[in-house]
């Protein structure tokens, strides 16, 4: 995918601030989510618009300084790989993630991977066995969320066993940190 330096920087910033920067797998997983959102009609049009959406990525993701200079080359290399078409095989079509170890009471979160300190998931209708996840566009709190069917992946990636969201820590073998916000 041909992008300008600004779009490349926005992708790299999302990967830098949202992963633990300790491994390329976590960076690639976050980059995959950004690109999945970019390809979805439910999210805004460019990489910077996707990354800059309110309450979707780390606060200040587009403005905070990136101080770990030893990580920047790795981030740039993985960002270039994502822009060249590389995707995390287990993330598949997932468009959402949260810090691994947090638990949420929702029953529409189908977990597909854990990487870089994050748990990646697809939003599906509760009890659904469909492989096409739902995409919810971020919207102001007063607006309703309207589900949009995302395209089914061409090849199903290996997934974690399906279960309630509260079990992701057990499934991934992570310590449970308690409920988030």
């Amino acid at each position: 995918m041909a992008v300008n330096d600004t779009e490349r920087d926005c992708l790299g910033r999302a990967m830098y601030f949202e992963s633990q920067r300790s491994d390329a797998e976590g960076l690639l997983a976050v980059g995959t989510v950004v690109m999945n959102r970019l390809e979805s009609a439910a999210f805004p049009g460019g990489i910077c618009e996707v990354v800059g959406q309110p309450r979707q990525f780390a606060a200040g993701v587009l403005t905070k300084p990136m101080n770990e200079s030893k990580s920047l080359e790795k981030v740039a290399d993985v960002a270039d790989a994502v822009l060249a078409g590389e995707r995390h095989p287990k993330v598949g079509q997932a468009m959402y993630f949260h810090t691994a170890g947090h638990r949420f009471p929702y029953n529409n979160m189908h977990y597909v991977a854990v990487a870089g300190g994050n748990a990646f998931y697809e939003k599906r209708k509760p009890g659904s066995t469909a492989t096409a996840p739902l995409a919810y566009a971020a919207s102001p709190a007063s607006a309703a969320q309207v589900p949009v069917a995302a395209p089914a992946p061409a090849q199903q990636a290996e997934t974690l066993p399906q279960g309630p969201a509260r079990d992701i820590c057990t499934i991934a073998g992570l310590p449970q940190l308690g409920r988030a916000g």
Side-chain angles (χ1 to χ4, degrees), residues 5-164:
D5 288 343
T6 301
E7 296 282 302
R8 180 179 179 259
D9 182 61
C10 290
L11 176 62
R13 287 177 155 281
M15 293 163 55
Y16 178 91
F17 287 110
E18 293 289 356
S19 74
Q20 292 180 340
R21 299 183 289 280
S22 60
D23 65 11
E25 181 185 19
L27 294 168
L28 181 61
V30 171
T32 299
V33 166
V34 171
M35 300 310 284
N36 287 348
R37 288 182 175 200
L38 183 65
E39 295 167 3
S40 171
F43 293 92
I47 293 173
C48 292
E49 288 81 8
V50 166
V51 173
Q53 239 182 337
R55 298 178 305 279
Q56 295 298 302
F57 290 92
V61 68
L62 296 177
T63 57
K64 290 194 298 191
M66 297 188 291
N67 295 323
E68 285 185 32
S69 59
K70 66 180 182 177
S71 300
L72 295 180
E73 186 175 343
K74 184 187 330 181
V75 170
D77 289 345
V78 177
D80 289 341
V82 168
L83 292 171
E86 187 174 343
R87 300 292 184 268
H88 191 287
K90 291 183 181 180
V91 170
Q93 296 297 311
M95 289 186 259
Y96 307 95
F97 62 93
H98 62 74
T99 303
H102 287 221
R103 295 180 294 162
F104 298 92
Y106 311 116
N107 61 358
N108 68 339
M109 299 166 77
H110 176 77
Y111 289 93
V112 295
V114 175
N118 293 307
F120 295 82
Y121 63 96
E122 298 172 347
K123 288 186 178 178
R124 295 185 182 171
K125 289 183 180 179
S128 171
T129 58
T131 58
L134 295 176
Y136 290 92
S139 57
S142 62
Q145 291 186 344
V146 179
V148 178
Q155 179 179 358
Q156 183 66 26
E158 177 186 346
T159 60
L160 295 171
Q162 188 170 358

